[in-house]
Amino acid sequence: MALNVRKFSGRLRSGRKLANSPVVRACLEAGRRLAEEELLSLKNKEHKPRPLCTLTQKNITDEAERIFQEARHDEHIAHALFGSPPDWRKADTRPSVGTMKDPWPNLTLYMGDLVRYVLRERYSLTDGMIDKVTRAELRETPFFSAAVEKVAYTDMKILYADETSARFQYLVTGLADFHEQVREALAGVYQHSFDYWRAVYAEILDARGVSLRPGISLDELTMMLTGMAQGLSLRHIGATSGKVIDHAHRRSVLGKACQLLIAGAVDPGDGRDVADVVDELMAVRVPAPADGGKPTRRRFLIRRKAR
């Protein structure tokens, strides 16, 4: 349904009706398609002089007109895009540079709404990440590491690696400090992801009867795990070397990273702070002697000055 795709119109006098008109929907969908073509190189293989350079008023309205033509000849597309199909005969409901300027006098306003529109997809992708069977597996299976690996691979593949919205999200992150609407859209995506995964982690810890080490909160663990996923997805998208996702074996570096973090964050019953554990593990040791004995701690000899 194509209702409430925008919160406000570019011109306050136009109100909600303009903000959710068929032209608005078509132009936003056009911008999403143009961004997808550019970011995933589905059609245009040539080098672009700058990111999203295809988002001009003419390109947007031309693509929006093609969307209108598709919808006119396919009832399912029309209902999916517009909810109630518009009156095709009215000129003011057709995309053009003129009708586009009504809701968006400039491309800055359009960009803010396009970010919100494209990133809405992130909400549904996150919500559909873990089904009931997988959730039960995370709570009950004795092979917890394998379950974590499975979820991490799915997360990377569905939510980050193959999605236009992920690339678009990272591309516009640099605009957040300069564009209030972009900042609000990004904040909503991050908060939604945080809330979803926090609830999952809380459910798992409770079902397995374990707790976190002193000094580590559930909010901090959630932020670390979601941050690792986002960072590794950036690595996957931008790095020319280093295999973040192994599709052949359905594994990812994220799965291993999550297991390492869980191993350090979960309290095995000693009640020790993670810093104390790290200090002990990383204490300086000398190589084992030739007879195969255990490594010994290095001792420093301090000479006293002669009186």
Side-chain angles (χ1 to χ4, degrees):
M1 297 293 286
L3 302 178
N4 301 326
V5 295
R6 299 179 67 215
K7 290 184 177 180
F8 309 104
S9 63
R11 298 178 179 178
L12 296 178
R13 64 177 176 80
S14 305
R16 184 172 291 277
K17 183 177 180 180
L18 174 60
N20 297 286
S21 69
V23 170
V24 164
R25 177 68 180 209
C27 287
L28 290 173
E29 179 63 19
R32 188 195 67 78
R33 291 189 184 186
L34 290 170
E36 184 173 79
E37 287 181 14
E38 184 175 325
L39 295 175
L40 295 185
S41 301
L42 296 180
K43 294 180 181 178
N44 302 317
K45 300 294 184 180
E46 68 272 13
H47 174 71
K48 301 297 181 183
R50 59 180 175 80
L52 301 180
C53 64
T54 54
L55 293 180
T56 64
Q57 286 181 327
K58 184 178 186 308
N59 287 346
I60 292 166
T61 52
D62 286 350
E63 185 67 28
E65 178 61 28
R66 281 190 283 272
I67 290 170
F68 258 57
Q69 293 297 331
E70 292 173 11
R72 286 187 67 178
H73 297 95
D74 191 315
E75 185 178 345
H76 297 291
I77 294 176
H79 281 286
L81 282 172
F82 304 110
S84 298
D87 187 343
W88 310 108
R89 296 168 297 178
K90 293 183 178 179
D92 60 350
T93 65
R94 298 289 294 276
S96 67
V97 173
T99 56
M100 182 180 175
K101 284 184 177 180
D102 282 333
W104 301 291
N106 55 64
L107 280 175
T108 300
L109 286 171
Y110 173 80
M111 192 66 184
D113 283 337
L114 179 63
V115 170
R116 184 181 295 111
Y117 178 78
V118 173
L119 295 188
R120 285 192 321 158
E121 191 174 292
R122 310 293 288 161
Y123 291 75
S124 59
L125 287 171
T126 300
D127 290 340
M129 258 297 302
I130 303 180
D131 57 25
K132 291 182 178 179
V133 175
T134 305
R135 208 153 181 154
E137 189 177 6
L138 287 168
R139 292 194 306 265
E140 301 163 9
T141 180
F143 307 106
F144 184 71
S145 61
V148 170
E149 190 71 73
K150 173 184 173 183
V151 171
Y153 170 77
T154 304
D155 186 31
M156 290 294 290
K157 183 178 185 301
I158 294 178
L159 207 59
Y160 294 105
D162 299 337
E163 277 303 313
T164 305
S165 57
R167 286 162 168 76
F168 192 83
Q169 176 181 336
Y170 296 141
L171 183 61
V172 300
T173 297
L175 302 175
D177 286 342
F178 311 99
H179 202 301
E180 184 179 358
Q181 292 186 43
V182 171
R183 186 166 61 251
E184 289 177 356
L186 287 170
V189 170
Y190 284 124
Q191 188 62 48
H192 185 81
S193 175
F194 179 89
D195 292 342
Y196 176 85
W197 286 110
R198 188 188 188 282
V200 171
Y201 301 148
E203 179 182 330
I204 294 169
L205 292 174
D206 182 64
R208 292 186 173 271
V210 297
S211 58
L212 301 177
R213 286 190 177 278
I216 302 177
S217 69
L218 182 58
D219 284 357
E220 289 173 329
L221 178 65
T222 303
M223 188 178 298
M224 294 175 201
L225 288 167
T226 54
M228 285 195 309
Q230 292 152 8
L232 287 169
S233 69
L234 270 174
R235 169 81 181 183
H236 171 76
I237 291 170
T240 55
S241 62
K243 202 168 186 179
V244 176
I245 304 177
D246 182 356
H247 291 295
H249 299 93
R250 301 181 65 82
R251 291 198 301 255
S252 69
V253 176
L254 178 61
K256 187 176 292 186
C258 288
Q259 292 176 57
L260 289 169
L261 185 56
I262 292 169
V266 171
D267 186 353
D270 57 22
R272 300 174 64 193
D273 186 280
V274 68
D276 294 336
V277 176
V278 171
D279 286 342
E280 180 180 332
L281 290 172
M282 297 305 294
V284 179
R285 293 170 171 81
V286 296
D291 60 2
K294 292 183 179 180
T296 59
R297 293 180 183 276
R298 180 177 296 172
R299 297 180 180 275
F300 296 93
L301 180 62
I302 302 176
R303 299 182 180 273
R304 294 179 178 273
K305 289 185 178 180
R307 292 183 179 274

